[in-house]
Amino acid sequence: MSGLLEGKSAIITGSSRGIGRAIAKSYAENGARLIIHGTKEEALCELKSELNALGAECEYVAGDIGSPDTAARLAEKCLERYKSIDILVNNAGINSRKSFEELSFEDWDNMLRTNLTSAFYTCKAVLPSMLEQGSGVIINMSSSAGKTAHPNAAISYGVSKAGINSLTQKLAYDYAAKGIRVNAICPGPIETDMSKQWTEEYREKVYSSIPMHRLGTGADVANVAVFLASDMAAFICGESVNVNGGKYMN
């Protein structure tokens, strides 16, 4: 197997479904050696088999991404199996559509812990190895909701993704000279299990708000994740790349 990520070792959080699964498959097709993560071991076993069938080396770690122990186990597994950590994709996250009045203190804490604090934990876990080898790529999954108010996203979600964008920029600024590139991806409306439940009326409303008049796919996001992790993006650092068909431009 050969590709843009040939021989690179990559950790991908939240990889058992959706965008994370699409990224894992694209990384496998491009030659990466993978550590995948999710909360359900059965789903991870299934994905591991699919990735092995593509010719990729793969191991998995199941656990709560909001725990520093899970982050440590991901880094340890990658180093144990592949002797290096070349790429980290912080994809795991949750969403909410609750109004500000409906949000409980627990809702707020859970969103920040899962979407933002987890990325802090995983970055802390992989940075020592990346610094020692003098190279590495970190890709954080953000959202256009982290850049502008979104009518269908809870304020806690937007705040968590704005935090991801800030984390991305600060890490990029601090570690670029040490050979570590950090960028974020900001997807717009993506075809997922949730979008399949939309009414036709709502779907048309979403379509009409996107200049390209279609929803994005997991592959659309995965293609950007492959590019940013590859040497083709060697001079891209500290960016939060929009992938939304033109729905939000900045």
Side-chain angles (χ1 to χ4, degrees), residues 61-77 121-122 125:
V61 171
D64 175 11
I65 197 58
S67 165
D69 175 67
T70 300
R73 288 193 293 122
L74 283 164
E76 288 165 6
K77 176 71 76 173
Y121 290 151
T122 51

Side-chain angles (χ1 to χ4, degrees), residues 90-94 115-116 141-147 156-166:
N90 282 315
N91 172 75
I94 57 174
N115 289 8
L116 179 57
M141 197 58 62
S142 183
S143 168
S144 56
K147 296 182 174 182
S156 55
Y157 180 76
V159 168
S160 72
K161 295 305 184 179
I164 283 290
N165 292 341
S166 181

Side-chain angles (χ1 to χ4, degrees), residues 68 71-72 75 85 120-129:
I85 303 173
F120 168 73
Y121 290 151
T122 51
C123 288
K124 286 279 281 187
V126 305
L127 268 170
S129 177

Side-chain angles (χ1 to χ4, degrees), residues 93-195:
I94 57 174
N95 197 357
S96 172
R97 302 188 189 283
K98 289 185 178 181
S99 69
F100 184 77
E101 291 87 351
E102 293 173 322
L103 277 176
S104 67
F105 298 148
E106 183 180 4
D107 291 331
W108 177 272
D109 289 343
N110 189 42
M111 182 69 73
L112 272 291
R113 182 179 69 88
T114 305
N115 289 8
L116 179 57
T117 305
S118 66
F120 168 73
Y121 290 151
T122 51
C123 288
K124 286 279 281 187
V126 305
L127 268 170
S129 177
M130 289 183 174
L131 287 170
E132 183 177 351
Q133 66 198 28
S135 65
V137 174
I138 296 173
I139 299 171
N140 296 318
M141 197 58 62
S142 183
S143 168
S144 56
K147 296 182 174 182
T148 186
H150 194 288
N152 275 330
I155 191 170
S156 55
Y157 180 76
V159 168
S160 72
K161 295 305 184 179
I164 283 290
N165 292 341
S166 181
L167 177 72
T168 297
Q169 290 183 342
K170 179 58 174 169
L171 287 176
Y173 185 84
D174 285 349
Y175 294 103
K178 301 182 188 303
I180 300 169
R181 291 190 299 107
V182 188
N183 291 291
I185 300 175
C186 297
I190 303 296
E191 191 77 67
T192 63
D193 292 340
M194 185 176 293
S195 66

